[in-house]
Amino acid sequence: MGIAGFVAGVTLWGALAGILLPRAAYRLSVEAGLPWRSACPAGHPLSGPAGGWLGLAVCPGCRSEPATGRRRGYAPVGGAVLATTLVCLALGAGVGARPELFVWLLLAPFTVLLCLVDRAVHRLPDVLTLPLAAGTAAALGTAALATGTAGSWTRALLGGLVLGCCYYLLHFINPRGMGFGDVTLALTVGQVLGWYGWFVLFAGTFAAFLAGTVYGYALIALRRADRTSPIAFGPFMAAGALAGVVGAGLGLGMGLGTGLGAGLP
């Protein structure tokens, strides 16, 4: 596969996965203790593959009705497609065609989905974060069996455990400042960053907290929040993980390769 085919495949995967995210994000974006949404904004029951979780951003019932002023879609699809595509392209450019790239590409849509939900309702549902952590461990274990990987499965598992414990400690000290959903997401983020090394784990975690802090103070400066206002930290955790993976893949101080061209014929 040449570079053009590689880029086209990564782009296509990101775009197709992003198209399916708005429905799932809509269903999951509810306050804690409430059931997942089972009908579209117009009241049509959600049906389709995977119990109605997979589907386009407008349900068949809305498409068959004449256009009115009410909301027809679950969420703007363009943002989800753009975000997922850009994340996948960044991963492809940084990691190249190494075996672990397939793991990162599988994780990308779920991570974007979690960010959408966290941004909407400040919640990271365990129904996603816990299976994601287990799936990451299994997928990285499979990738470790292939030749050409640039990481360590054992270190990834330890990284997930270490970061999860650190986040749990922060949650125990200040539950309002660090939600339990952040703790469960840290199990995955720690594995992703730990795969490439302890320095990458530290750097990606530091980047997440730095970005979250800057964002919080910016909101305060703009008088859109105060020091007690909660923020959705999941997107910053995801951004820190992305930065760590791309930076490590590019070999910034780690000697891990040459980026997009690595592994390509």
Side-chain angles (χ1 to χ4, degrees):
M1 179 191 299
I3 291 180
F6 178 81
V7 173
V10 170
T11 302
L12 182 62
W13 165 256
L16 291 178
I19 290 174
L20 299 179
L21 296 186
R23 175 186 286 211
Y26 165 78
R27 295 196 66 175
L28 290 169
S29 295
V30 297
E31 300 294 336
L34 296 178
W36 311 126
R37 292 188 175 114
S38 58
C40 79
H44 302 119
L46 295 174
S47 59
W53 286 95
L54 296 179
L56 299 178
V58 179
C59 76
C62 288
R63 286 199 300 269
S64 64
E65 291 183 350
T68 63
R70 66 184 178 184
R71 179 180 174 188
R72 291 170 62 90
Y74 311 118
V77 69
V81 171
L82 180 62
T84 311
T85 302
L86 290 178
V87 168
C88 290
L89 283 173
L91 291 169
V95 178
R98 299 187 181 94
E100 66 264 24
L101 175 64
F102 297 99
V103 180
W104 307 150
L105 292 179
L106 286 173
L107 293 179
F110 294 100
T111 305
V112 173
L113 174 59
L114 283 168
C115 291
L116 293 173
V117 175
D118 198 18
R119 187 166 176 260
V121 293
H122 289 193
R123 182 185 183 191
L124 293 168
D126 292 344
V127 70
L128 277 182
T129 56
L130 292 177
L132 193 64
T136 301
L140 286 177
T142 302
L145 299 176
T147 58
T149 56
S152 165
W153 184 52
T154 303
R155 189 176 54 223
L157 296 180
L158 289 174
L161 179 61
V162 168
L163 194 63
C165 288
C166 291
Y167 270 73
Y168 180 77
L169 179 61
L170 294 175
H171 169 73
F172 181 79
I173 295 172
N174 183 14
R176 288 178 56 85
M178 181 65 67
F180 193 73
D182 299 320
V183 177
T184 54
L185 180 58
L187 297 173
T188 296
V189 172
Q191 291 181 72
V192 172
L193 293 172
W195 172 262
Y196 287 119
W198 296 110
F199 174 78
V200 176
L201 176 61
F202 171 80
T205 303
F206 178 78
F209 278 96
L210 177 62
T213 300
V214 171
Y215 176 76
Y217 278 111
L219 291 180
I220 294 174
L222 295 172
R223 300 182 183 277
R224 296 175 57 186
D226 56 39
R227 293 181 180 274
T228 63
S229 300
I231 66 171
F233 195 59
F236 298 106
M237 296 175 67
L242 177 63
V245 167
V246 172
L250 289 171
L252 298 179
M254 303 299 296
L256 292 177
T258 57
L260 180 60
L264 292 176

